[in-house]
Structure formats: C-alpha cells, structure tokens
Amino acid sequence: MRGGEINPRDTTTTATPSAIPAEGARRVGYAVLLAGVVAFLTSGAFLLAAGHTTIPTSEDYRPGPLWTLWVPVAVVLLLIRALPWRAPEGDLARRVRDRLGGRSGGAEIAVLFGCMLGFYLGDLFLYPVFCLVDASVCALSYYTSKVIFLLILPTVFIGSCGVMRHVSGPDLGSLATRVGEPWRWAGLGAVAAYLAMVFAPWASQPPDLGRIPENYALLVVVALSIAGTSLLEEVFFRAMLQTRLEILLGRWPGIVLASLCYGVAGVLAATYPDDLGVAIAMAISVQGVAGLMYGYLWSRYRNIWLNFGLHACITTLALIPLTDALF
C-alpha cells in the first residue's frame, strides 16, 4: 500500500530497513499486529467499563480524561501520514538498510528485551540501596537503572562501536540527526498540532506557566526528566528497538510491539492504582497509545529531533505547576 499504510508487507514505501520479510516473519508480523490491536482495544474497554477513565499524574502526561490523549494522538497519526502525502520513503528505506546491513537483528532485539528486564530488576535492587543513603534520593534509583540498562548497556552491545557489530560504516546516528531533506521536517506540523491541542480550551487543565520557583527545584526536575525520560526513551524504544522490530516484522507490527513495550515499561515510573491489572491497562492506554504517535513519527521521517522535541515538550507541560500555590 502507498505511503506506509497499515500493511506489514509494505516495505518498499515505508522506512523499514530491510527487504520484504520471509514468509514466516510475515505471519509473525500479522499475528503481532493483531495481538497488539486487541491489547490496545481490550485495555481501553476494560478501563472504561471499570470506571478508570482519568489519566494519573506523571512526568509524561497531564491528568485528565483518557479521550484528551486519545483524540490528539489519532489526529497526529493522520497528520503524519498526510505531511507530505507523497514522500521518497523508498530512498530513505535504502539508506537505513545500508546502515543496518549485516547485523543480527534477532540477537540484537533479544539483547534489548533483556535490557528492559534488567531495567525493571535494577530499579527493584537499587531503590532500597538509595533509600539507605538518604530517603530524598530514593527516586534516583529509577533514573540510575534507566541510564544503565536503556543507554549504557545497549550502546555497549549494539551501538555503532558495540561488541555485537559485524559491519563497518555509519550506524543510524548520522541519518537520524543530520536531516537535510525538507520533507523529513514536515512532521513539525504534526508536532505543533499536538501541542496546540494540549493548549486548546477543551483540554483538561490547560497549563498555567506561572513563574520560575525561587529554589529552582522545578527546573532541576524538568531537566532530569527531559534527559532521563524524553531523550533516553526515544533513543532506546524508537531508534534502537522499534527500528529492529520493523526489520523483522514490518512497519506497523514493529511500531505496535515497541509501543506496548514502552507502555508496560512505564508502569515503573507512573503513579497507577495498586491493582496490577488496572496499572497495566492504564499504561497501555496512556503511554502505549502515545508510543504509537512517537513510533509512527520516527518510522515516517527517521528524524530523531522531531521525537525529541515532541517528547520534551510533553514532559515539560506535564511537570509545570498549574497554580502559584505550588511555588
């Protein structure tokens, strides 16, 4: 199908860095896509039926009804597809294939899944250790584990100079950061549209920028969250994990699976109900849904600056106090 519609076989017009997957991989891709769609629909329906329709406060999303996230994400997905309607994605796909050629995709994906498990276990282990030092630094265990398992170890194993690298030449870094083609900046329209909807009159609790707190504590939190959440997560879940899943399964199966992983990983940081089922459903319906937006933005343009900018703005808006009483 044209322009990267939902079709795991369509690798000629999408930015997936491989030829058409083998028949077995295509079947797996369809199964993953179907299972992912069912997971998203089931999670949303479960939350609506159970009455859990409000997004909890977190460092990524403002509290409010679920529809205030779902509707803007749906609009942005359509805008990403339309801006521009016709784009030379075939050439971009070839360039991505050249940079990832010769790699062992399955092994690298296994390493990345292992890093996600290590992120969870690392936080469990480091939290009491940090609390022994000082109760005020307990939360740093999350960021420490994230940096170790979602940045340092993946870079050591599958980075441009990682120990699992079997090819010479540049990796995705230069392609993702040196964006000279104007059409690959067209996603700025989708990014601007999402932020405009956040500030729209009907948005739940539109942010009041207020003034900078005297002790600058908020600025430290915002800076830490942008570096430890926005930037790091886009590199790991989109540039590293999703790209390789697209190689193996196709564009939309890769996006959906990476988004589900991103959503479930968010259970660690978010303030969700104690009920594990509700927590996972909320993570999929909030962070996972946002992951679809980030994922398609990355897959369409392969411009990491768009992902960084959108994620950083969302994180900043989520952390800005709403009233002067918080200063």
Side-chain angles (χ1 to χ4, degrees):
M1 297 178 69
R2 305 189 65 145
E5 297 296 331
I6 303 178
N7 186 348
R9 297 188 185 188
D10 185 4
T11 56
T12 57
T13 58
T14 66
T16 48
S18 71
I20 298 176
E23 186 63 29
R26 284 203 298 269
R27 293 198 194 97
V28 174
Y30 281 121
V32 168
L33 182 58
L34 178 60
V37 171
V38 170
F40 278 109
L41 294 178
T42 302
S43 296
F46 170 73
L47 292 176
L48 293 176
H52 295 281
T53 59
T54 301
I55 300 172
T57 301
S58 73
E59 64 178 15
D60 285 306
Y61 309 100
R62 304 189 67 80
L66 287 169
W67 70 264
T68 61
L69 171 68
W70 291 349
V71 172
V73 166
V75 172
V76 169
L77 289 176
L78 293 175
L79 286 175
I80 293 171
R81 171 62 188 89
L83 300 172
W85 185 256
R86 297 181 182 275
E89 292 184 88
D91 177 66
L92 183 60
R94 177 189 57 78
R95 293 161 63 191
V96 174
R97 286 195 302 268
D98 290 344
R99 283 161 172 77
L100 291 179
R103 288 176 172 268
S104 178
E108 291 185 342
I109 290 172
V111 168
L112 293 174
F113 277 120
C115 287
M116 284 190 289
L117 177 60
F119 168 45
Y120 172 74
L121 297 177
D123 183 55
L124 289 181
F125 173 77
L126 291 174
Y127 185 82
V129 174
F130 275 75
C131 290
L132 287 175
V133 176
D134 193 314
S136 63
V137 299
C138 291
L140 290 180
S141 65
Y142 168 79
Y143 291 104
T144 302
S145 182
K146 178 178 279 189
V147 169
I148 293 173
F149 290 99
L150 300 190
L151 178 62
I152 295 176
L153 289 182
T155 302
V156 168
F157 282 99
I158 68 170
S160 298
C161 299
V163 298
M164 295 181 65
R165 187 182 181 206
H166 302 296
V167 295
S168 60
D171 200 346
L172 283 178
S174 60
L175 178 67
T177 57
R178 299 173 186 174
V179 185
E181 304 91 334
W183 76 268
R184 292 175 62 198
W185 289 99
L188 284 172
V191 171
Y194 182 87
L195 297 177
M197 284 183 280
V198 171
F199 281 101
W202 57 82
S204 176
Q205 298 180 328
D208 176 11
L209 298 183
R211 57 186 178 83
I212 298 175
E214 295 181 359
N215 61 3
Y216 299 99
L218 176 62
L219 297 184
V220 174
V221 173
V222 170
L224 182 62
S225 295
I226 289 177
T229 299
S230 305
L231 305 185
L232 193 154
E233 288 178 356
E234 292 307 306
V235 169
F236 181 86
F237 287 101
R238 255 60 70 177
M240 290 185 178
L241 179 61
Q242 180 185 306
T243 305
R244 287 163 174 82
L245 288 174
E246 287 185 59
I247 294 173
L248 185 64
L249 304 174
R251 168 179 272 182
W252 277 100
I255 292 174
V256 168
L257 183 53
S259 298
L260 289 173
C261 292
Y262 174 62
V264 174
V267 174
L268 275 178
T271 305
Y272 292 126
D274 293 334
D275 187 313
L276 181 60
V278 173
I280 294 176
M282 187 65 74
I284 292 173
S285 298
V286 176
Q287 190 151 314
V289 168
L292 295 175
M293 175 177 64
Y294 294 132
Y296 192 28
L297 188 70
W298 165 247
S299 181
R300 174 79 161 144
Y301 306 109
R302 302 298 187 196
N303 183 346
I304 200 67
W305 300 116
L306 295 178
N307 285 74
F308 283 169
L310 177 58
H311 204 149
C313 287
I314 292 174
T315 297
T316 302
L317 293 176
L319 292 173
I320 291 175
L322 297 176
T323 66
D324 285 338
L326 296 176
F327 292 95

